Each structure stands twice: as C-alpha cells, then as structure tokens.
Amino acid sequence: MKICNFSVPGRAIPAVRMTQRSKYTRQAKRYLAYKKQVAWIARSNYKKKPVSSDVGVNVNIYLKGGNQGDIDNYFKSITDSLNKIIYIDDRQVKEMHARKLDCESEKDERVEVVVYKL
C-alpha cells in the first residue's frame, strides 16, 4: 500500500560522511541543504503522523552526466531526509529499490520517491 510519493526537482546530492569537524565543509553544507529540501517537499506531500510499521522505498534518480555519486549514497540522502516525517526512523526501511537513470538535460534532473507500507 502506497504511503506517499513525490518528486524532488534538481540534481540529487549523495550522502556524505559526517563527523563533528566535517559538517562545516562545502560538501557537507550542500548535503545538509539538500536534506532540508527533500524534507520540506516530503512534508508538503504527507500531512499525517509518521508511520510506525515497516516500509519499502523506491527511488529513481535522474541525472545528466557529470560526476555522479554512488547509488547507495543517493538512496541514503533521501531516506535520512524522511526520518520523523514519513516514518519514525529509517531503520523501518526493510525493502529498497533504487535506479540511476540518464535524462536529456540538466533541467530534467530530479529524484522520484515512492514510500509504501509492507
């Protein structure tokens, strides 16, 4: 059963390793800003309380060339952003599907997300 689906416009930002010192780097600041953007879009599309049951997440990442990150880091940036919004904690994610897809132009870059109940 589908809980929520939404699209995040723009180029996806992969998760970065965060330490106390590294959170002030340019890369970390970009990642944290992206997490806020994803969270804001998720909140505007899902107005209920976070679910407490196990969930699955389907992520399609559309990118136009350039230096691309690892698919698992893109997935992590999305699932971390949904904590306390769609579900209580991303440890509830028991099933995952992720794809990186080429798109025609930079204006078509986006991430499409579907969260469903297991």
Side-chain angles (χ1 to χ4, degrees), residues 67-82:
N67 186 14
Q68 296 184 6
D70 296 341
I71 193 168
D72 56 325
N73 289 331
Y74 287 113
F75 189 85
K76 183 166 179 46
S77 71
I78 297 297
T79 55
D80 284 351
S81 302
L82 304 181

Side-chain angles (χ1 to χ4, degrees), residues 30-118:
R30 254 180 74 217
Y31 166 63
L32 293 172
Y34 184 70
K35 276 181 55 174
K36 282 183 184 177
Q37 177 190 4
V38 173
W40 185 85
I41 292 169
R43 238 184 237 108
S44 67
N45 283 280
Y46 185 76
K47 309 264 189 228
K48 302 173 187 169
K49 284 177 47 176
V51 299
S52 58
S53 61
D54 291 343
V55 298
V57 180
N58 185 17
V59 176
N60 289 328
I61 305 137
Y62 293 87
L63 299 169
K64 170 70 173 131
N67 186 14
Q68 296 184 6
D70 296 341
I71 193 168
D72 56 325
N73 289 331
Y74 287 113
F75 189 85
K76 183 166 179 46
S77 71
I78 297 297
T79 55
D80 284 351
S81 302
L82 304 181
N83 281 332
K84 296 180 180 56
I85 297 170
I86 308 292
Y87 40 74
I88 297 166
D89 190 88
D90 58 352
R91 285 180 269 170
Q92 292 169 247
V93 177
K94 302 295 184 192
E95 186 173 283
M96 58 188 265
H97 300 276
R99 297 188 307 170
K100 278 193 335 186
L101 303 157
D102 294 325
C103 61
E104 293 291 316
S105 70
E106 289 180 7
K107 68 178 172 72
D108 295 327
E109 291 183 318
R110 67 193 182 281
V111 177
E112 294 174 351
V113 182
V114 178
V115 181
Y116 51 94
K117 207 178 260 195
L118 293 177

Side-chain angles (χ1 to χ4, degrees), residues 16-33:
V16 297
R17 181 177 291 253
M18 299 290 286
T19 63
Q20 193 62 27
R21 235 184 317 176
S22 73
K23 67 180 170 185
Y24 300 106
T25 65
R26 184 174 52 89
Q27 228 179 355
K29 287 179 183 178
R30 254 180 74 217
Y31 166 63
L32 293 172

